[in-house]
């Protein structure tokens, strides 16, 4: 029986959504089931290293007994299976799937390259399961040629892990130059991987994002090891870490795709950007006032001229000057450094003031805004600035959907942070756009300025918060994070 059916039956409720998140913040799996019109409740559980949010609809909240039953059920389930298989019917997020495919491809290319280099006779990668209780093979180099069955067997291989191994891997990581230590690292558990008697030990290098180990890169050579063997294995693991960061976390995509080189050149160009920014702001300021007069006169002309051609031309001048006015306004607000005046804001009231701004657009294009905000949700922010951020994010979402879509606003308070999620049912952010999203003047729209997102992020950074984005199954999800007071 499937996990969701068990919960439904035993807890007398109807699960409408399950979200499972790994320790790396990766959304491993989720399931959305259309909601019947009953009230929905959320339960957040932390099991081992994973976070689960279960949303269910029921007449009332689950009793304490039902919650403890649910917790037990999840425990049993998690104990018995690798978490990424937590329910066969839980559809995996397509972006994460794409991520896995990319990663697998990357691992394949890398392990093959290690063997092609002539330095190693074997190379393989194994990942921890989410509870870090076992390793699971993901790929081994196909050279020397392994049969499909051998590769498949490796992929399905699960190797139990003792805590001491994780400690050793950490230890190993902090002594990058200690050849002896590396080679002496316990390898016997890995010998069973392809049942070959090895003459040398395996070199096992941890793969880590931040200080979290998520897997190991294993290399093996028939020849005597040198520092080059260790160094190459380690550098390759680092390369994989960078890729891992990219594929598991679209939020981090923009930082990590750039690799070191790009970061370096960015650092260099940052200083000139500041200078350029100051010039642009001065020019914008000078241009703004005349623009307002041009626009105003064009509107008056439109009304007073009778010739159709002249009317049309005056109309173009008016619209274009409004567009330029917006651009100068955006440039100025990007360069303006106004410290936020924080106040306690009742979130629902804030949104009730914002939604009417989009009413015409919603009716004309059949768009909806769905407010999923609890009555007692508050944020601490500068009301004008936060309004600017939210209006901008909703407008972007509506631009992306064009027509027939829904923008959903939800709220979460966790670990001293409040988050507002603005998700749409549009096409999501194309991967090639992702790294440029927060760069000033980057836009894919002919009428956009490309300043909306950089300004929004800057405002939030000034609040000690942030703006992040990822693609969900349905579209883009922008998360506004602010410190809870
Ligand atoms: P602008 O809206 O003026 O283009 P922004 O900085 O607000 O500037 O947005 C930059 C780009 O990010 C947009 O041109 C669009 O390509 C992309 N984008 C922003 N929000 C979304 C969204 N919700 N869905 C898809 N793409 C988006």
């Amino acid at each position: 029986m499937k996990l969701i059916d068990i919960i439904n039956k035993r807890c007398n409720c109807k699960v409408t959504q399950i979200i499972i998140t790994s320790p790396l913040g990766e959304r491993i799996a989720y399931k959305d089931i259309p909601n019947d019109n009953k009230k929905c409740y959320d339960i957040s559980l932390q099991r081992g290293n994973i976070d689960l949010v279960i949303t269910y609809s029921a007449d009332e909240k689950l009793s304490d007994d039902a919650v403890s039953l649910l917790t037990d059920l999840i425990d049993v389930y998690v104990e018995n299976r690798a978490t990424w298989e937590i329910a066969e019917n839980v559809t995996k997020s397509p972006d994460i799937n794409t991520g896995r495919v990319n990663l697998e491809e990357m691992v394949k290319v890398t392990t093959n390259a290690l063997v092609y280099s002539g330095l190693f006779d074997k190379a393989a990668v194994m990942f921890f399961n989410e509870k870090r209780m076992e390793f699971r093979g993901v790929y081994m180099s196909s050279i020397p040629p392994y049969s499909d069955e051998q590769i498949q067997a490796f992929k399905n291989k699960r190797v139990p892990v003792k805590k001491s191994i994780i400690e050793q891997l950490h230890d190993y990581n902090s002594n990058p130059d200690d050849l002896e230590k590396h080679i002496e690292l316990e390898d016997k558990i890995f010998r069973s991987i392809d049942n070959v008697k090895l003459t040398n030990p395996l070199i096992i290098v941890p793969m880590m994002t931040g200080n979290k180990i998520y897997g190991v890169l294993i290399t093996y050579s028939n020849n005597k090891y040198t520092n080059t063997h260790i160094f190459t294995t380690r550098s390759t693991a680092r390369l994989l870490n960078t890729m891992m960061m990219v594929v598991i976390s679209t939020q981090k995509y923009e930082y990590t795709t750039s690799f070191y080189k790009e970061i370096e050149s960015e650092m260099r160009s940052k200083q000139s950007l500041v200078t350029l920014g100051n010039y642009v702001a001065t020019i914008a300021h000078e241009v703004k006032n005349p623009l307002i007069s041009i626009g105003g006169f064009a509107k008056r002309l439109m009304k007073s001229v009778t010739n159709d051609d002249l009317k049309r031309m005056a109309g173009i001048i008016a619209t274009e000057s409004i567009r330029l006015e917006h651009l100068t306004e955006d440039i100025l607000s990007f360069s303006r450094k106004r410290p936020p005046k924080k106040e306690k804001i009742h979130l629902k009231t804030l949104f009730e003031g914002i939604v009417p701004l989009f009413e015409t657009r919603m009716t004309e294009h059949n768009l909806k805004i769905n407010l999923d905000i609890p009555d007692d949700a508050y944020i601490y922010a500068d009301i004008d600035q936060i309004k600017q951020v939210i209006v901008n994010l909703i407008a972007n979402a509506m631009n992306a959907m064009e027509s027939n879509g829904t923008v959903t606003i939800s709220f979460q308070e966790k670990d001293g942070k409040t988050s507002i999620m603005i998700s749409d049912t549009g096409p999501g952010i194309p991967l090639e756009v992702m790294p440029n999203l927060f760069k000033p003047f980057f836009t894919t729209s002919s009428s956009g300025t490309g300043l909306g997102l950089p300004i929004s992020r800057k405002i939030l950074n000034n609040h000690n918060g942030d703006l992040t984005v990822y693609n969900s199954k349905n579209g883009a999800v922008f998360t506004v994070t602010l410190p809870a007071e």
Side-chain angles (χ1 to χ4, degrees), residues 5-74:
D5 299 332
I6 301 173
I7 301 175
N8 285 344
K9 193 157 173 227
R10 302 279 294 273
C11 300
N12 194 21
C13 64
K14 184 164 179 258
V15 173
T16 55
Q17 190 184 51
I18 294 193
I19 300 175
I20 305 165
T21 333
S22 80
L24 297 166
E26 177 191 10
R27 203 180 241 217
I28 303 164
Y30 62 77
K31 170 85 181 163
D32 262 329
I33 302 165
N35 186 354
D36 50 15
N37 288 325
K38 281 191 187 147
K39 183 150 177 42
C40 276
Y41 301 93
D42 273 351
I43 288 193
S44 299
L45 298 169
Q46 205 185 15
R47 297 289 97 191
N49 268 328
I50 61 164
D51 280 331
L52 283 112
V53 179
I54 299 171
T55 309
Y56 60 91
S57 65
D59 292 328
E60 54 189 62
K61 272 195 169 181
L62 293 190
S63 66
D64 288 349
D65 281 351
V67 172
S68 92
L69 176 71
L70 180 65
T71 319
D72 290 347
L73 271 174
I74 302 281

Side-chain angles (χ1 to χ4, degrees), residues 330 392-393 396-400 424 426-430 433 437-439 442-445 447-454 476 478:
D330 274 358
N392 181 35
L393 294 175
N396 274 355
M398 290 190 168
N399 289 343
D424 60 54
I429 318 278
V433 166
L437 210 60
F438 294 97
K439 287 187 183 158
F442 172 84
T443 177
T444 57
S445 128
S447 58
T449 63
L451 283 169
L453 291 176
F478 282 85

Side-chain angles (χ1 to χ4, degrees), residues 16 85 117 200 221 241 373:
T16 55
E85 289 172 352
S117 72
N200 267 344
S221 167
N241 291 344
I373 305 172

Side-chain angles (χ1 to χ4, degrees), residues 23 52 61 63 69 77 111-112 148 167 260 292 307 319 343 356 399 430 458 464 475:
L52 283 112
K61 272 195 169 181
S63 66
L69 176 71
Y77 218 83
T111 47
N112 281 345
D148 282 348
E167 278 158 16
Y260 305 106
I292 295 175
N307 178 311
T319 6
E343 58 181 294
N399 289 343
K458 198 168 157 195
N464 295 326

